[in-house]
Amino acid sequence: MPYQCSKEEREFLDKYDASKYERPSVTTDIAVFTLNELNKLSILLIKRGQFPYKDKWALPGGFIHTGKESIDDCAKRELKEETGIEDAFFNQLYTFGDLNRDPRTTVISVSYMVLIPKHKLKVHAGDDAQDAEIFEISYDVSGMVFSNGDITIREKDLAFDHADVIRMAIKRLRNRIDYEDDAFNLLKDKDEFMISELKKIHETIKNKSLDLPNFRKSFIRDYVNTKKVIELDKTIVSKGKPAKLYKFIGDDFYE
Amino acid sequence: MPYQCSKEEREFLDKYDASKYERPSVTTDIAVFTLNELNKLSILLIKRGQFPYKDKWALPGGFIHTGKESIDDCAKRELKEETGIEDAFFNQLYTFGDLNRDPRTTVISVSYMVLIPKHKLKVHAGDDAQDAEIFEISYDVSGMVFSNGDITIREKDLAFDHADVIRMAIKRLRNRIDYEDDAFNLLKDKDEFMISELKKIHETIKNKSLDLPNFRKSFIRDYVNTKKVIELDKTIVSKGKPAKLYKFIGDDFYE
DNA sequence: TCAAAAGTGTTTCCCATACACCCATGC
DNA sequence: GCATGGGTGTATGGGAAACACTTTTGA
């Protein structure tokens, strides 16, 4: 809807020159989480092809197209450009705006968290002449360590303040897993999953093993009984007793 | 610490011209909450003296001094300029960056929540030719209503998207009160308070009455036993049995 | 028949709630 | 004394955790 205002105000707006105030650059940084084959928490990092921090690993993201997109859309566009991901769970995290966090100029960065199952994350290696890789996150005395078999990166070697962003994202994810439906976004297939798959996701994120009978009980109470999840008339068999399959519905609210 | 880099990178940085990309304006918006004399949740609003939304009520805040301050410092500076508040509990809320949320130009706004006891909130009426008032928050069919005896404002009459900011801030506050130490920031005096004072704050924010014996028990368990609060060797008497006084220590962590 | 994983049932414990009751003060 | 708010103790119920046990498959 167009902004309604008086003639006097309209004149003010027409004369308004935004360029008279110095403005900061604004970027988005996106922490894309997934679980790897071993069910370990992993994150997508991109090797920078440009200065600053050339050849360093960083979170995907980039400058906002001012006036052409919202910050949310900027994050979505950057993610699509760099990884091809179009529809994934998005959540704004925090805005980093310390002085000198970017050596070029004042850069304010709005960070986002994305959750996606690994098979949907087709990393476009070589796109934009950039390396993009998924790294398993582990810890040692120096802090977070990112490794993918070939490469090992320590948090202090990441570009910008991206270690801070990742730390905050993991913390938020760990908190949210208990009261939001985030775990479902990491399922291979939300429309057909076993309780044990969901349990593994919770175990990975919380970094502790859970009791299956108890997990099942709260799952039934919180999701099946509330119709957020429906039980399918279907089972899947791999080893041991076949498992019931469930389909995630959600409550169709966007936050 | 100065940014360490190669000579090649230094050259790139020296030549970097930030102005070649169009940048958005960035502001902070601050939701300052307090409890009024009647222990009702209240918020500080400022009557705008300038276009756009001239003469409308809005949250305090303003444009960042690019390159001279962090966004956190911007929020603190704006709050100090408009209300004189220097030390108060600060918490970043969310960043609003939809297109057209400001009729002038693209404006991205980082919102903050501040909690402060009313006696510390000396409203500078007339400062900057602006009215600043504390309004009690209530609700009717149209949504939030802000009133202070003389003036009544409905949420749809607020400037910009400030109603959204306030709604989100209240939601966050209600969630945080259960697992963060926020309530202490609304006490008249953190260094000498009665359990019943703290209970009233919780009741106001959660908008329901609590059982004093049970409140006391969880207070003792969560705060006194964990040394976040110490019991003073002091009582205060007003009416009825004198009450023990407590002093809030916290755990000296900043988030 | 055995291992493996799914699924059920039971016991225990903690914690939130509810509420009965006692205590110390001013008037 | 008695009204008022502070403070203590106890009973109850529901949910989380621990775990014993059953079921159904493949090999």
Side-chain angles (χ1 to χ4, degrees), chain A residues 49-67:
Chain A
Q50 311 260 332
F51 288 127
Y53 293 104
K54 187 165 180 240
D55 299 325
K56 296 281 183 183
W57 293 86
L59 293 173
F63 289 92
I64 192 168
H65 291 179
T66 305

Side-chain angles (χ1 to χ4, degrees), chain A residues 129-171:
Chain A
Q130 282 181 323
D131 272 342
E133 300 271 352
I134 297 165
F135 294 89
E136 183 176 317
I137 304 170
S138 57
Y139 297 85
D140 73 4
V141 284
S142 73
M144 296 180 289
V145 178
F146 308 90
S147 48
N148 74 344
D150 296 328
I151 308 168
T152 298
I153 306 160
R154 290 177 187 284
E155 65 168 76
K156 67 178 175 50
D157 296 322
L158 292 178
F160 307 105
D161 53 1
H162 288 184
D164 295 329
V165 179
I166 296 170
R167 240 192 311 277
M168 180 169 285
I170 293 173
K171 190 179 160 190

Side-chain angles (χ1 to χ4, degrees), chain A residues 3-13, chain B residues 51 54:
Chain A
Y3 176 68
Q4 298 292 334
C5 62
S6 68
K7 201 174 141 193
E8 188 190 7
E9 181 159 2
R10 178 60 63 198
E11 269 170 33
F12 163 85
L13 291 173
Chain B
F51 289 126
K54 185 164 183 250

Side-chain angles (χ1 to χ4, degrees), chain B residues 7-56:
Chain B
K7 201 174 142 193
E8 189 190 7
E9 180 159 2
R10 178 61 63 199
E11 270 170 31
F12 163 85
L13 290 173
D14 289 344
K15 273 187 266 176
Y16 184 84
D17 177 13
S19 67
K20 70 183 165 188
Y21 304 111
E22 195 183 347
R23 285 163 294 167
S25 294
V26 174
T27 69
T28 51
D29 287 326
I30 308 155
V32 181
F33 291 111
T34 193
L35 305 193
N36 68 8
E37 315 73 36
L38 303 165
N39 265 303
K40 298 284 187 185
L41 186 63
S42 305
I43 192 167
L44 177 72
L45 296 175
I46 285 182
K47 192 172 188 173
R48 289 181 60 81
Q50 310 262 331
F51 289 126
Y53 292 104
K54 185 164 183 250
D55 297 327
K56 296 280 183 182

Side-chain angles (χ1 to χ4, degrees), chain B residues 196 213 216-217 240-241 244:
Chain B
S196 59
R216 162 174 282 106
K217 263 175 287 187
K241 181 172 173 177
K244 276 181 200 157

Side-chain angles (χ1 to χ4, degrees), chain B residues 46-194:
Chain B
I46 285 182
K47 192 172 188 173
R48 289 181 60 81
Q50 310 262 331
F51 289 126
Y53 292 104
K54 185 164 183 250
D55 297 327
K56 296 280 183 182
W57 293 86
L59 293 173
F63 289 93
I64 193 168
H65 291 180
T66 304
K68 301 205 174 70
E69 62 188 0
S70 67
I71 41 174
D72 286 9
D73 288 341
C74 170
K76 285 174 189 162
R77 175 183 53 73
E78 290 285 349
L79 189 66
K80 188 185 169 191
E81 284 176 14
E82 290 178 321
T83 69
I85 299 168
E86 283 209 57
D87 61 323
F89 172 78
F90 252 82
N91 187 256
Q92 190 190 299
L93 264 183
Y94 194 78
T95 297
F96 293 81
D98 278 356
L99 289 171
N100 306 320
R101 52 176 297 286
D102 190 307
R104 289 166 291 191
T105 177
T106 301
V107 176
I108 287 170
S109 170
V110 184
S111 58
Y112 286 81
M113 178 175 78
V114 167
L115 301 178
I116 193 164
K118 183 146 189 299
H119 73 279
K120 283 196 190 166
L121 214 177
K122 300 264 181 289
V123 168
H124 287 201
D127 213 48
D128 275 11
Q130 283 180 323
D131 271 343
E133 300 271 350
I134 297 165
F135 295 89
E136 183 176 317
I137 304 170
S138 57
Y139 296 86
D140 72 5
V141 285
S142 73
M144 296 180 289
V145 179
F146 307 90
S147 48
N148 74 344
D150 297 328
I151 308 170
T152 297
I153 308 161
R154 293 179 184 282
E155 64 167 74
K156 67 177 175 51
D157 296 322
L158 292 178
F160 307 105
D161 53 3
H162 287 184
D164 295 328
V165 179
I166 296 170
R167 241 193 311 278
M168 178 169 287
I170 293 173
K171 190 178 160 190
R172 183 85 128 249
L173 179 59
R174 292 230 162 98
N175 282 330
R176 285 176 56 99
I177 195 83
D178 286 322
Y179 61 94
E180 299 284 350
D181 300 339
D182 290 2
F184 295 97
N185 296 303
L186 290 167
L187 285 168
K188 276 196 192 62
D189 185 357
K190 278 190 210 190
D191 294 334
E192 271 193 23
F193 65 90
M194 304 185 286

